[in-house]
Amino acid sequence: MPANPEVIVIGAGFGGLGVALSLRRAGIDRFTVLERADGVGGVWRENTYPGAACDVPSSLYSYSFAPHHSWPRRYSAQPDILAYLRRSAEEVRDRIRFGATVVAASFDGGRWRVELAGGEVLEADVLVSAVGQLNRPSIPALPGLDGFEGPVFHSARWRHDVDLDGKRVAVVGTGASAVQFVPRIQPVAGQLTVFQRSAPHVLPKPDARLRGRAHPWTARAARGGVWLAGEALTGLLTAGRFSRGLVAGVAAAHRWLRVRDRDLRERLRPREQAGCKRVLFSNDWYPALAAPNVDVVTETITGITARGVRTADGREHAADVLIWGTGFEVADFRLPMTVTGADGRELADVWAGRPRAHLGMSVPGFPSFFLVYGPNTNLGGNSIVTMIEAQCRYVVASVRHLAASGANALDVRPDVAEAFDAEMRSRLANGVWSGCGSWYRADDGSVTTNWPGSTREYLRRTARLRAEDHVLTRHLTSEGV
């Protein structure tokens, strides 16, 4: 076993870059980041739809160890977040391989063998999957879709070459992406038809333009304040019906102030408790839907025709362009590569439709393999970057422990992982996210995406690597060590 384990990180978004930066700052320099695209950024590189922005203030939606004091807005837009990630990546640019698509990884003889498209094979002692959750667009399998005569695209694959000026545009979905791009395309579309399956709870967004460079102490205080506000929102959404009712009340007041038409306001009234699905933030969503050229349709879509969308009431809604605002396939955590563990079993088969990992990172039988932004680490009310940083520190601690031990691999004990999974299922079974169908839930109804507690709890539980929860193993290599 080398004194300094070699690490391969898959993905160069917030998670993968965070791991790489944390390794370098810890003095661990034997690592490679494999990125299938030609640049860093992950979802912030891929999602370029009009109005793309973050609903967490940038003071917190950034690395604590790489602060940026010149954000143009409190809630920064996609170009500014991508620019920040590109600047941050310069520190580890020499360790990133672009255009490197991982197709398979297998644990063999005490090391990970990572196969790239084209046949090249790399080896490492530690493997980190940082491919994220929001990378597979969800597109409904509707009858007649192939026969639609106009352009069709998902918000995550925005067609900037399609001119929407004066066109009849159909948007399917009213989730986080649609809430951002609909207000941007409404002024240019001739007619905009928004198909809503369930109305979201929408809160006002306290956005503002920021001027000049913030003092480091001011920025640190702002970051702490936003984190505390996120913890408070998480508490409101998870504590009980009364507290969720307070959130719903604020959303209802926002809706009443922004939508004067009583019929439209009723169509936009959520039927589910606040927090069951993602709570959204916007100041221009409701005004856009109330515009004269917009129609909100709540009837179920039954199919796509050559020139429009057909609903259950028999109506055909004419459209020249069809845009999916239907989010991503997340709950099954299907990785874009095959991962095979020490006993020859594939991770997808081990999960069998219900992803699970100890602390959201480790799976028994897959030694020295870590997931960043894995199962049960998503949040409903705070910054995911806080969770990612905790996981980055945990990976660094694991690499250090492995190096100090002289062993080949570190594997979480099955009983420890099973106890954690039982805890997650118990805490989430009757929680807010189990009360309705959403991307938070797997096919069997279990919540596989979200963390049931506060980020403070997760930070505490990942603050150190519990050696007693793991097994160190030594394998014979080709050198016989």
Side-chain angles (χ1 to χ4, degrees):
M1 175 69 193
N4 297 309
E6 189 168 356
V7 184
I8 284 180
V9 181
I10 306 173
F14 254 112
L17 289 177
V19 172
L21 290 165
S22 298
L23 288 170
R24 173 147 287 176
R25 291 171 181 234
I28 301 169
D29 212 43
R30 295 188 67 201
F31 66 88
T32 302
V33 180
L34 303 176
E35 170 55 53
R36 64 184 179 183
D38 59 0
V40 303
V43 296
W44 295 107
R45 182 194 63 246
E46 297 293 332
N47 287 264
T48 61
Y49 58 81
C54 188
D55 56 10
V56 174
S58 296
S59 58
L60 187 59
Y61 198 80
S62 52
Y63 302 120
S64 64
F65 51 76
H68 179 52
H69 302 310
S70 299
W71 292 107
R73 302 194 67 86
R74 183 175 294 147
Y75 294 84
S76 292
Q78 176 265 341
D80 299 308
I81 297 172
L82 181 57
Y84 166 76
L85 288 172
R86 285 171 173 167
R87 286 194 301 271
S88 299
E90 285 303 310
E91 186 177 330
V92 291
R93 179 63 180 81
D94 60 315
R95 295 297 182 186
I96 305 175
R97 284 187 55 178
F98 295 110
T101 300
V102 177
V103 296
S106 58
F107 189 77
D108 183 18
R111 301 197 86 199
W112 281 98
R113 300 181 74 256
V114 179
E115 182 182 346
L116 305 184
E120 182 182 0
V121 176
L122 307 176
E123 292 193 0
D125 304 294
V126 177
L127 179 63
V128 181
S129 172
V131 299
Q133 296 185 21
L134 309 179
N135 52 41
R136 287 186 295 121
S138 175
I139 299 177
L142 292 170
L145 179 57
D146 292 342
F148 185 71
E149 295 180 349
V152 181
F153 54 91
H154 191 277
S155 63
R157 305 290 184 267
W158 195 269
R159 289 275 305 274
H160 292 278
D161 62 319
V162 176
D163 184 9
L164 301 180
D165 190 18
K167 299 291 179 29
R168 296 171 299 182
V169 182
V171 172
V172 180
T174 55
S177 299
V179 161
Q180 294 183 340
F181 74 74
V182 163
R184 298 298 183 274
I185 66 174
Q186 174 270 316
V188 301
Q191 172 64 36
L192 181 59
T193 306
V194 178
F195 295 87
Q196 172 187 274
R197 184 172 60 179
S198 60
H201 290 270
V202 182
L203 300 176
K205 189 174 186 177
D207 197 7
R209 184 176 297 278
L210 304 178
R211 301 183 182 278
R213 180 179 176 84
H215 189 279
W217 284 104
T218 303
R220 185 173 299 178
R223 182 183 181 92
V226 173
W227 176 72
L228 288 173
E231 292 291 84
L233 178 58
T234 298
L236 287 172
L237 294 176
T238 58
R241 286 189 174 273
F242 175 76
S243 58
R244 290 193 288 271
L246 295 177
V247 176
V250 174
H254 180 50
R255 188 168 59 253
W256 188 88
L257 289 171
R258 295 287 183 165
V259 183
R260 305 311 299 170
D261 182 85
R262 183 176 298 178
D263 174 67
L264 177 59
R265 194 164 63 238
E266 178 60 22
R267 276 181 282 159
L268 298 176
R269 180 173 63 86
R271 268 54 179 179
E272 294 145 345
Q273 59 182 321
C276 184
K277 294 185 178 181
R278 184 174 173 179
V279 174
L280 307 178
F281 297 83
S282 177
N283 298 326
D284 49 15
W285 170 245
Y286 288 138
L289 297 185
N293 67 330
V294 178
D295 184 22
V296 177
V297 177
T298 57
E299 288 285 338
T300 301
I301 297 175
T302 57
I304 307 298
T305 66
R307 298 182 179 180
V309 179
R310 191 176 300 281
T311 50
D313 57 1
R315 290 184 60 194
E316 181 182 12
H317 305 265
D320 304 309
V321 181
L322 176 58
I323 303 175
W324 302 111
T326 44
F328 300 87
E329 296 179 7
V330 175
D332 62 356
F333 278 84
R334 195 184 315 157
L335 299 180
M337 65 281 183
T338 301
V339 179
T340 306
D343 59 0
R345 291 196 300 166
E346 293 184 8
L347 182 60
D349 294 332
V350 171
W351 279 347
R354 193 175 65 81
R356 53 206 180 275
H358 179 58
L359 296 173
M361 290 183 277
S362 306
V363 181
F366 294 79
S368 304
F369 173 65
F370 300 92
L371 294 148
V372 173
Y373 195 17
N376 294 121
T377 61
N378 188 60
L379 298 172
N382 214 322
S383 173
I384 191 60
V385 181
T386 301
M387 303 289 278
I388 286 174
E389 283 197 33
Q391 293 157 26
C392 293
R393 290 190 291 269
Y394 194 88
V395 169
V396 168
S398 299
V399 174
R400 282 176 163 168
H401 182 65
L402 197 58
S405 71
N408 292 87
L410 177 76
D411 200 0
V412 65
R413 286 169 32 198
D415 61 312
V416 171
E418 288 168 8
F420 179 80
D421 180 49
E423 178 195 347
M424 292 298 101
R425 281 184 289 150
S426 175
R427 292 176 63 179
L428 290 162
N430 298 310
V432 60
W433 300 303
S434 64
C436 64
S438 71
W439 63 272
Y440 296 147
R441 302 174 67 188
D443 291 340
D444 66 356
S446 60
V447 178
T448 58
T449 55
N450 285 14
W451 173 247
S454 64
T455 61
R456 185 193 302 272
E457 179 192 350
Y458 191 79
L459 291 169
R460 175 179 58 79
R461 295 180 67 166
T462 57
R464 71 177 184 90
L465 175 75
R466 290 171 55 90
E468 62 271 27
D469 290 345
H470 298 79
V471 176
L472 290 166
T473 57
R474 291 171 173 81
H475 297 262
L476 290 177
T477 66
S478 58
E479 289 79 22
V481 179

